[in-house]
mmCIF file of all heavy atoms in Angstrom:
data_model
loop_
_atom_site.group_PDB
_atom_site.id
_atom_site.type_symbol
_atom_site.label_atom_id
_atom_site.label_comp_id
_atom_site.label_asym_id
_atom_site.label_seq_id
_atom_site.Cartn_x
_atom_site.Cartn_y
_atom_site.Cartn_z
ATOM 1 N N THR T 228 1.328 26.385 -38.172
ATOM 2 C CA THR T 228 0.387 27.470 -37.853
ATOM 3 C C THR T 228 0.446 28.542 -38.939
ATOM 4 O O THR T 228 -0.421 28.611 -39.805
ATOM 5 C CB THR T 228 0.702 28.076 -36.479
ATOM 6 O OG1 THR T 228 2.098 28.454 -36.432
ATOM 7 C CG2 THR T 228 0.439 27.071 -35.374
ATOM 8 N N PHE T 229 1.480 29.343 -38.916
ATOM 9 C CA PHE T 229 1.570 30.474 -39.834
ATOM 10 C C PHE T 229 1.660 30.042 -41.297
ATOM 11 O O PHE T 229 0.891 30.501 -42.148
ATOM 12 C CB PHE T 229 2.783 31.330 -39.455
ATOM 13 C CG PHE T 229 3.057 32.455 -40.415
ATOM 14 C CD1 PHE T 229 2.187 33.534 -40.511
ATOM 15 C CD2 PHE T 229 4.183 32.436 -41.235
ATOM 16 C CE1 PHE T 229 2.440 34.569 -41.408
ATOM 17 C CE2 PHE T 229 4.436 33.452 -42.120
ATOM 18 C CZ PHE T 229 3.562 34.530 -42.202
ATOM 19 N N VAL T 230 2.597 29.126 -41.604
ATOM 20 C CA VAL T 230 2.817 28.743 -43.003
ATOM 21 C C VAL T 230 1.622 27.962 -43.553
ATOM 22 O O VAL T 230 1.200 28.190 -44.694
ATOM 23 C CB VAL T 230 4.120 27.927 -43.158
ATOM 24 C CG1 VAL T 230 4.345 27.559 -44.616
ATOM 25 C CG2 VAL T 230 5.311 28.710 -42.632
ATOM 26 N N VAL T 231 1.060 27.056 -42.762
ATOM 27 C CA VAL T 231 -0.111 26.300 -43.221
ATOM 28 C C VAL T 231 -1.297 27.236 -43.451
ATOM 29 O O VAL T 231 -2.051 27.070 -44.427
ATOM 30 C CB VAL T 231 -0.470 25.193 -42.206
ATOM 31 C CG1 VAL T 231 -1.856 24.624 -42.482
ATOM 32 C CG2 VAL T 231 0.572 24.078 -42.264
ATOM 33 N N TRP T 232 -1.480 28.236 -42.597
ATOM 34 C CA TRP T 232 -2.552 29.218 -42.801
ATOM 35 C C TRP T 232 -2.324 29.989 -44.099
ATOM 36 O O TRP T 232 -3.281 30.234 -44.854
ATOM 37 C CB TRP T 232 -2.608 30.178 -41.621
ATOM 38 C CG TRP T 232 -3.757 31.144 -41.700
ATOM 39 C CD1 TRP T 232 -5.031 30.961 -41.232
ATOM 40 C CD2 TRP T 232 -3.732 32.453 -42.318
ATOM 41 N NE1 TRP T 232 -5.803 32.056 -41.518
ATOM 42 C CE2 TRP T 232 -5.041 32.992 -42.182
ATOM 43 C CE3 TRP T 232 -2.759 33.204 -42.958
ATOM 44 C CZ2 TRP T 232 -5.373 34.256 -42.659
ATOM 45 C CZ3 TRP T 232 -3.092 34.456 -43.447
ATOM 46 C CH2 TRP T 232 -4.378 34.985 -43.297
ATOM 47 N N ILE T 233 -1.096 30.355 -44.360
ATOM 48 C CA ILE T 233 -0.765 31.043 -45.615
ATOM 49 C C ILE T 233 -1.104 30.158 -46.814
ATOM 50 O O ILE T 233 -1.691 30.611 -47.806
ATOM 51 C CB ILE T 233 0.729 31.426 -45.644
ATOM 52 C CG1 ILE T 233 1.025 32.530 -44.623
ATOM 53 C CG2 ILE T 233 1.174 31.850 -47.042
ATOM 54 C CD1 ILE T 233 0.427 33.876 -44.972
ATOM 55 N N GLU T 234 -0.749 28.869 -46.749
ATOM 56 C CA GLU T 234 -1.004 27.939 -47.857
ATOM 57 C C GLU T 234 -2.501 27.775 -48.113
ATOM 58 O O GLU T 234 -2.942 27.732 -49.267
ATOM 59 C CB GLU T 234 -0.363 26.582 -47.549
ATOM 60 C CG GLU T 234 1.145 26.598 -47.610
ATOM 61 C CD GLU T 234 1.772 25.347 -47.042
ATOM 62 O OE1 GLU T 234 1.062 24.567 -46.370
ATOM 63 O OE2 GLU T 234 2.989 25.136 -47.252
ATOM 64 N N ASP T 235 -3.285 27.691 -47.036
ATOM 65 C CA ASP T 235 -4.723 27.467 -47.186
ATOM 66 C C ASP T 235 -5.474 28.724 -47.585
ATOM 67 O O ASP T 235 -6.540 28.636 -48.221
ATOM 68 C CB ASP T 235 -5.314 26.924 -45.880
ATOM 69 C CG ASP T 235 -4.961 25.466 -45.649
ATOM 70 O OD1 ASP T 235 -4.358 24.861 -46.561
ATOM 71 O OD2 ASP T 235 -5.283 24.930 -44.584
ATOM 72 N N ASN T 236 -4.965 29.898 -47.221
ATOM 73 C CA ASN T 236 -5.717 31.139 -47.447
ATOM 74 C C ASN T 236 -5.121 32.047 -48.514
ATOM 75 O O ASN T 236 -5.861 32.811 -49.156
ATOM 76 C CB ASN T 236 -5.832 31.924 -46.131
ATOM 77 C CG ASN T 236 -6.667 31.199 -45.098
ATOM 78 O OD1 ASN T 236 -7.886 31.298 -45.089
ATOM 79 N ND2 ASN T 236 -6.022 30.454 -44.210
ATOM 80 N N LYS T 237 -3.819 32.000 -48.719
ATOM 81 C CA LYS T 237 -3.178 32.879 -49.694
ATOM 82 C C LYS T 237 -2.652 32.134 -50.918
ATOM 83 O O LYS T 237 -2.391 32.738 -51.949
ATOM 84 C CB LYS T 237 -2.012 33.631 -49.029
ATOM 85 C CG LYS T 237 -2.417 34.499 -47.851
ATOM 86 C CD LYS T 237 -3.396 35.597 -48.266
ATOM 87 C CE LYS T 237 -3.779 36.473 -47.071
ATOM 88 N NZ LYS T 237 -4.760 37.531 -47.460
ATOM 89 N N GLY T 238 -2.443 30.837 -50.787
ATOM 90 C CA GLY T 238 -1.945 30.061 -51.925
ATOM 91 C C GLY T 238 -0.683 29.300 -51.582
ATOM 92 O O GLY T 238 0.131 29.750 -50.757
ATOM 93 N N TRP T 239 -0.533 28.153 -52.233
ATOM 94 C CA TRP T 239 0.616 27.303 -51.962
ATOM 95 C C TRP T 239 1.923 27.909 -52.449
ATOM 96 O O TRP T 239 3.001 27.583 -51.935
ATOM 97 C CB TRP T 239 0.401 25.924 -52.597
ATOM 98 C CG TRP T 239 -0.228 24.973 -51.648
ATOM 99 C CD1 TRP T 239 -1.551 24.813 -51.387
ATOM 100 C CD2 TRP T 239 0.457 24.076 -50.791
ATOM 101 N NE1 TRP T 239 -1.742 23.862 -50.420
ATOM 102 C CE2 TRP T 239 -0.523 23.366 -50.035
ATOM 103 C CE3 TRP T 239 1.795 23.762 -50.577
ATOM 104 C CZ2 TRP T 239 -0.201 22.407 -49.103
ATOM 105 C CZ3 TRP T 239 2.111 22.785 -49.644
ATOM 106 C CH2 TRP T 239 1.132 22.123 -48.920
ATOM 107 N N GLN T 240 1.871 28.789 -53.428
ATOM 108 C CA GLN T 240 3.113 29.403 -53.887
ATOM 109 C C GLN T 240 3.745 30.235 -52.778
ATOM 110 O O GLN T 240 4.975 30.332 -52.677
ATOM 111 C CB GLN T 240 2.873 30.270 -55.140
ATOM 112 C CG GLN T 240 2.022 31.518 -54.930
ATOM 113 C CD GLN T 240 0.531 31.235 -55.070
ATOM 114 O OE1 GLN T 240 0.109 30.083 -54.937
ATOM 115 N NE2 GLN T 240 -0.245 32.265 -55.344
ATOM 116 N N TRP T 241 2.891 30.831 -51.907
ATOM 117 C CA TRP T 241 3.412 31.605 -50.787
ATOM 118 C C TRP T 241 3.997 30.686 -49.712
ATOM 119 O O TRP T 241 5.009 31.006 -49.092
ATOM 120 C CB TRP T 241 2.303 32.478 -50.187
ATOM 121 C CG TRP T 241 1.901 33.600 -51.092
ATOM 122 C CD1 TRP T 241 0.797 33.655 -51.895
ATOM 123 C CD2 TRP T 241 2.612 34.816 -51.303
ATOM 124 N NE1 TRP T 241 0.767 34.830 -52.601
ATOM 125 C CE2 TRP T 241 1.868 35.569 -52.256
ATOM 126 C CE3 TRP T 241 3.798 35.353 -50.806
ATOM 127 C CZ2 TRP T 241 2.280 36.825 -52.698
ATOM 128 C CZ3 TRP T 241 4.209 36.600 -51.243
ATOM 129 C CH2 TRP T 241 3.456 37.321 -52.179
#
Side-chain angles (χ1 to χ4, degrees):
T228 53
F229 174 69
V230 181
V231 166
W232 185 88
I233 291 291
E234 289 169 347
D235 285 354
N236 294 275
K237 300 299 181 181
W239 268 85
Q240 67 273 21
W241 290 101

